[in-house]
Amino acid sequence: MNYLIGIDLGTSATKTVLFDEEGRVVCSASKEYPMYQPQNGWAEQRPEDWKEAALETITKVVRESGVDKKSIKGLGISGQMHGLVMLDENNEVIRPSIIWCDQRTAAECEEITEKVGAKRLIEITANPALTGFTASKILWVRNHEPENYARCRHILLPKDYVRLILTGEYATEVSDASGMQLLDVPHRCWSDEVLEKLEIDKSMLARVYESPEVTGTILPEIAALTGLSEKTVVVGGAGDNAAAAVGTGVVTDGRAFTTIGTSGVVFAHSKNVTIDPKGRVHTFCCAVPGCWHVMGVTQGAGLSLQWFRNNFCRDYMERAEKEGRDAYDYINEDVESVPLGANRLIYLPYLMGERTPHLDPDCRGVFFGLSAIHTRKDMLRAVMEGVSYSMKDCNDILKEMGVEVDDMMACGGGGRSAVWRQMLADMYGCTVKTVAAKEGPALGVAILAGVGAGIYESVEAACEKMIHTDKSCDPVPEHTAKYQEYHKIYQNLYTCLKDQYKELAKL
């Protein structure tokens, strides 16, 4: 039996999973780390924490599984996208990584738009200048920390920093690189035009691969430390959402998934380049060679529920620890006891600004309609519904662009919640399914590793072998109609508050 490793470098933790070639989980391990917010709207993490978490979890799964290291044929890494890792000439980290949800770069986005041109930027990178993307972060460091920029010799994405640790190679791949705003997305290579206009030295960027391509093998010292074989190949891997697509079988036209992790995504596969001229959704290269995907993103999806849990459900967390359960189990029970619409309470999930459809770094979270009758249970349901309204915004735009979806999968922490899946099915008006494996991104990059190691001939063939459908949730027509009414109010609230968000940001 051959085995494959998938590493999922997330915002809250890194999870490493060992799979057999049938897609079954053999062993897994995870390690959490903090996110730092030095100022309102800022978000940073230490790349050293990712390194430590990856090495520790790899070592644990290899040793605890008892699998012969020679049978572990390939390794893939999935990662949170857009984070800026800057290294000096000795590969030392220069400063904490500015990660995907950071909103400090509004001025740099204006600079990028002015230098490249709004229309031309979308033509090349398939997206408007966005605060979350990597290019604006590079410019921010250059503008505000020139001494750090002067020391920089290598620019990597989070998962590609871990790859460097494992293989010694400076490499990235098309799906993650698409989120840097420096890639020519239609042609799947770095854009010399954008780099020249932004005066970014191309030599600082890593070589670009397709996601299933082999980028290197395990360094001898890492093999000795972790128990891996030096012959284990490390493939390009994928950004978290592209990896989740492979891990849920969204690798052909007509298929899509919704993931509710820290952020939330509606993601559809396409064999053609489909770009929204309004820039409301993102078009990236996907992990299937020669294909693309379109996705809408809400910044504060699972983050909204996590924030509420951490601040207002401490008793559930303590109870869960005593009873050996998950605090979210009690939250789901609460939410199921509250009627649709949360007793006329609506939540806007803009804790970290927003990307789809508003592209607004200044908007913030809101509870609308709060009254003395409302309880914690109502607020919990409102949070989950508010995130789902945002997901519906994303899905509606994909339909408007002509990206037809007839097969929707659910993944991420939110996808494991039956009540959240029902909300999505009701709001989308379509069946929502899950896969048997719960390790979407980790399974996705393990599948890519299987292709790179020569176990499977293509990504599509590997998915047929390694992915198995689990649960299915059908929409309730009367719920769909009722949610349409609430969704209209939800959409109007942003319009009413847009100017006030700007005024608040000035204070």
Side-chain angles (χ1 to χ4, degrees), residues 34-73:
M35 178 176 74
Y36 303 96
Q37 294 186 272
Q39 296 186 36
N40 185 27
W42 289 25
E44 297 182 349
Q45 287 187 314
R46 297 178 67 253
E48 297 89 345
D49 289 344
W50 303 331
K51 170 185 173 180
E52 180 182 333
L55 294 176
E56 184 176 314
T57 54
I58 292 170
T59 303
K60 188 172 183 179
V61 299
V62 172
R63 291 180 179 171
E64 291 189 0
S65 69
V67 168
D68 181 356
K69 66 181 181 180
K70 293 179 182 178
S71 64
I72 302 175
K73 301 298 185 181

Side-chain angles (χ1 to χ4, degrees), residues 377-395:
K377 294 181 180 182
D378 298 311
M379 297 178 79
L380 282 165
R381 184 170 186 105
V383 168
M384 293 174 73
E385 287 183 339
V387 170
S388 301
Y389 293 136
S390 185
M391 299 288 90
K392 177 171 169 55
D393 280 344
C394 298
N395 196 45

Side-chain angles (χ1 to χ4, degrees), residues 9 43-51 79-88 91-100 132-135 137-138 141 148-149 151-165 170-171 176 180 182 204-206:
L9 193 163
E44 297 182 349
Q45 287 187 314
R46 297 178 67 253
E48 297 89 345
D49 289 344
W50 303 331
K51 170 185 173 180
Q80 52 166 295
M81 298 178 67
H82 315 302
L84 172 63
V85 179
M86 305 182 82
L87 306 177
D88 65 15
N91 287 337
E92 294 296 326
V93 175
I94 293 172
R95 70 171 325 283
S97 174
I98 306 174
I99 65 170
W100 61 274
F133 282 19
T134 319
K137 297 176 171 70
I138 296 170
V141 174
N148 284 335
Y149 189 81
R151 290 174 57 203
C152 184
R153 295 296 177 269
H154 301 283
I155 291 172
L156 295 174
L157 293 163
K159 80 172 195 316
D160 300 324
Y161 172 69
V162 171
R163 180 203 318 281
L164 175 67
I165 299 301
Y170 304 103
D176 214 357
M180 293 185 73
L182 302 174
M204 292 195 293
L205 302 180

Side-chain angles (χ1 to χ4, degrees), residues 326-506:
D326 190 326
Y328 289 113
D329 292 341
Y330 308 124
I331 289 173
N332 284 324
E333 291 168 6
D334 276 353
V335 171
E336 284 187 295
S337 71
V338 177
L340 182 154
N343 291 312
R344 297 191 179 93
L345 182 62
I346 295 175
Y347 170 74
L348 307 185
Y350 307 144
L351 298 185
M352 301 296 293
E354 192 53 296
R355 278 163 67 173
T356 303
H358 305 306
L359 298 178
D360 187 346
D362 294 324
C363 61
R364 291 293 181 265
V366 171
F367 278 103
F368 175 76
L370 194 63
S371 73
I373 69 164
H374 289 119
T375 66
R376 179 171 67 178
K377 294 181 180 182
D378 298 311
M379 297 178 79
L380 282 165
R381 184 170 186 105
V383 168
M384 293 174 73
E385 287 183 339
V387 170
S388 301
Y389 293 136
S390 185
M391 299 288 90
K392 177 171 169 55
D393 280 344
C394 298
N395 196 45
D396 287 350
I397 293 171
L398 298 187
K399 289 181 180 179
E400 181 186 319
M401 293 171 63
V403 179
E404 293 297 329
V405 174
D406 51 32
D407 193 338
M408 180 68 76
M409 307 297 291
C411 58
R416 291 194 288 272
S417 164
V419 67
W420 221 334
R421 291 198 304 271
Q422 187 64 55
M423 286 179 189
L424 294 173
D426 291 341
M427 290 192 194
Y428 293 160
C430 75
T431 300
V432 173
K433 305 174 185 176
T434 63
V435 294
K438 305 306 180 187
E439 293 81 9
L443 175 58
V445 290
I447 288 171
L448 296 173
V451 177
I455 298 172
Y456 302 106
E457 64 179 20
S458 68
V459 177
E460 295 90 338
C463 287
E464 287 291 326
K465 189 77 171 178
M466 296 181 71
I467 294 175
H468 314 283
T469 302
D470 187 16
K471 298 179 178 64
S472 182
C473 185
D474 295 322
V476 179
E478 53 265 37
H479 290 182
T480 301
K482 192 68 176 176
Y483 273 132
Q484 289 280 11
E485 297 176 23
Y486 276 103
H487 187 233
K488 289 178 184 177
I489 299 173
Y490 169 89
Q491 290 180 307
N492 288 335
L493 286 172
Y494 174 80
T495 303
C496 294
L497 293 171
K498 181 179 180 180
D499 292 341
Q500 296 308 309
Y501 285 135
K502 301 299 181 189
E503 292 302 313
L504 184 63
K506 293 176 183 176

